[in-house]
Amino acid sequence: MGVDLWIKRDDLTGFAMGGNKGRKLEYLMAAALASGADTVVSCGSAQSNFVRQLGAACACVGLHCGAAVMKLPYSADSGKPTGGAIFPENGNVILDRLVGIDLRMHPDGTWEELDARVEDLESEYRAQGRTVYRIPIGGSNWLGAYAFEQAGYEIPPDFDWIVFASSSGSTQTGLARAFHGSPTQVLGIACDPEPDMVEDFAELAEAVRAEVGGPALNSTDFLFNLGFVGPGYGVPSEDGNVAITYLAQAEGIFLDPIYSGKAFAGLIALASSGAVSGKVLFWHTGGTPALFAYPS
């Protein structure tokens, strides 16, 4: 590929089939327990890696877990993408049911509609007398971002670039804080067709700063490449599928079709053009179970 490529293997973190979400859950589960909750609720796509690991974490610490999901939630501005047929009961959904998540599958709609469904679920539980702790999609609150700032400190300071899949924001926000003011460029490859996501990153960064201090970041402090989303969120891309096959056959490393495959496709293209060069870290965020839900 023309770069000195290293890979941070968060697909091998081990907990509940691996993935970067376990880092966030170290902090989020502590907060849920400290709140006195007996129930945790969240939401996501049917193949959400976060929901899978959240359910496993809740099972480990004795909390009930409920999740509102849609097969293919989408942005109201972009509309529902076409293509990308999945087996909705395969992949992460099998694991969700194994760990005991109360999984509520809803018809496809916008992210705002999905948020309303998780509010309904929270209200239902509260009416039953449960004490509920709600976690935002992807675990992307200040605790999730702080967890990834801590993860950033695992990395030696001699990388020119860190490249990864960027979606709900806590991964990119945390890494941007960890490397702010350093020569290392932190580049998120977008998995959602939403250019204004950088504004959300800035708000999340400010929420972290309000809790623990650190740098003040604005939207211009985030490198966010929207060129590899493909048909849309939750739908595999042709370039992503090529990248998945390439890395599997080159190194025996499996990427997923929604996040890391698209991010690695971006890295291949950017390295080929010289836009990304030198010593490069690709942060593999996991998501391997989704491979079994996308037959194409």
Side-chain angles (χ1 to χ4, degrees), residues 43-44 68 70 72-80 106-120 134 137 194 196-197 200:
C43 61
M70 295 174 176
L72 193 64
Y74 55 87
S75 164
D77 292 335
S78 303
K80 184 177 179 178
H106 296 279
D108 290 347
T110 66
W111 292 109
E112 290 77 16
E113 290 168 331
L114 180 57
D115 200 51
R117 300 292 78 77
V118 76
E119 287 181 6
D120 293 342
R134 182 173 169 185
I137 191 165
E194 301 178 46
D196 58 354
M197 287 288 289
D200 296 336

Side-chain angles (χ1 to χ4, degrees), residues 21 57 84 121 144 212 250 262 274:
K21 307 302 186 183
L121 182 58
V212 297
K262 293 182 179 182

Side-chain angles (χ1 to χ4, degrees), residues 46-110:
Q47 290 301 323
S48 168
N49 299 303
F50 178 71
V51 168
R52 177 239 310 164
Q53 288 198 297
L54 172 64
C58 286
C60 287
V61 299
L63 296 176
H64 178 78
C65 181
V69 301
M70 295 174 176
K71 185 174 74 172
L72 193 64
Y74 55 87
S75 164
D77 292 335
S78 303
K80 184 177 179 178
T82 58
I86 67 170
F87 292 142
E89 293 296 323
N90 287 10
N92 280 304
V93 173
I94 293 174
L95 305 176
D96 293 345
R97 299 198 190 284
L98 279 174
V99 298
I101 299 174
D102 178 11
L103 199 66
R104 305 293 183 89
M105 191 81 70
H106 296 279
D108 290 347
T110 66

